[in-house]
């Protein structure tokens, strides 16, 4: 079965939210998109609020991923705990609110979405994104895995792509 996936990167500020609200549903219908992942960590320019997350869902996002600005709007913490469709980076060290991976049903397929953050030039205190990948994906039952790897260094992005391949 063919599954059309759309990944939307870095919706930024009110302008980005407005464009998504006006165009995403039309794009999904016109291109027969079945599953949409939106990176919303910059919906507030730096961070995202629960209201903004709900707006991204209303626009047509199935899953929202975050990144290094996850905690810039601290009011998102409770929302991360309650809503399984918004993912913060899975490799935050220690116990933080929310989850970094989810498995979702779409067109009879199980779609795993994993949100990771690189350490080079971002946050060396994070757990290894490579180890987190092994831990989270091993033994899971899914048909397709999507990884939002939020990283600065091209070398780290390339290493993750090679590793996942």
């Amino acid at each position: 079965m063919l599954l059309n996936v759309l990944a939307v990167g870095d919706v930024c500020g009110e302008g980005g939210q407005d464009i998504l609200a006006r165009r995403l549903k039309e794009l999904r219908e016109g291109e027969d998109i079945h599953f949409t992942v939106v990176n919303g960590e910059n919906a507030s320019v730096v961070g995202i609020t629960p209201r903004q997350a709900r707006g991204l869902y209303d626009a047509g996002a199935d899953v929202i991923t975050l990144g290094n600005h996850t905690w810039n709007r601290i009011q998102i913490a409770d929302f991360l705990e309650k809503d399984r469709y918004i993912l913060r980076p899975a490799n935050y060290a220690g116990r933080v609110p929310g989850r970094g991976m989810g498995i979702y049903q779409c067109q009879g397929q199980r779609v795993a979405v994993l949100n990771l953050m690189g350490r080079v030039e971002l946050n060396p205190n994070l757990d290894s994104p490579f180890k987190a990948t092994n831990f989270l994906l091993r033994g899971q039952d899914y048909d397709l895995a999507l990884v939002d790897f939020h990283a600065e260094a091209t070398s780290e992005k390339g290493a993750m792509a090679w590793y996942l391949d």
Side-chain angles (χ1 to χ4, degrees):
M1 160 174 236
L2 183 65
L3 183 66
N4 294 325
V5 175
L6 174 64
V8 179
D10 271 358
V11 172
C12 191
E14 289 180 23
Q17 294 171 68
D18 183 54
I19 290 169
L20 210 63
R22 287 186 289 120
R23 302 295 308 273
L24 184 56
K25 287 183 182 175
E26 173 187 329
L27 179 64
R28 284 184 62 137
E29 290 172 13
E31 298 298 324
D32 195 28
I33 303 296
H34 304 113
F35 193 79
T36 302
V37 179
V38 173
N39 181 281
E41 75 145 346
N42 290 314
S44 287
V45 181
V46 285
I48 188 171
T49 66
R51 180 188 59 76
Q52 291 165 330
R54 285 189 288 275
L56 296 181
Y57 292 138
D58 290 345
D62 294 304
V63 174
I64 299 169
T65 58
L66 303 175
N68 60 311
H69 296 303
T70 296
W71 308 115
N72 286 63
R73 301 288 179 251
I74 197 63
Q75 60 267 44
I76 198 66
D78 288 340
F79 195 79
L80 288 171
E81 278 294 313
K82 295 174 186 170
D83 188 323
R84 70 181 208 94
Y85 295 93
I86 188 168
L87 304 174
R88 48 103 175 127
N91 56 321
Y92 275 119
R95 175 71 182 112
V96 295
R99 63 204 49 76
M101 180 181 150
I103 298 179
Y104 310 97
Q105 291 291 321
C106 180
Q107 303 286 332
Q109 304 289 308
R110 294 169 308 255
V111 180
V113 180
L114 178 58
N115 189 193
L116 296 165
M117 192 161 67
R119 299 192 297 184
V120 177
E121 298 178 24
L122 272 178
N123 186 343
N125 295 315
L126 295 170
D127 289 340
S128 165
F130 301 93
K131 288 181 181 178
T133 299
N134 283 343
F135 177 75
L136 290 166
L137 291 179
R138 180 175 289 132
Q140 295 290 339
D141 190 20
Y142 57 89
D143 300 301
L144 170 69
L146 304 173
V147 178
D148 179 347
F149 186 48
H150 192 82
E152 289 290 327
T154 302
S155 58
E156 191 174 26
K157 292 175 188 181
M160 180 58 77
W162 183 85
Y163 186 75
L164 290 169
D165 186 45

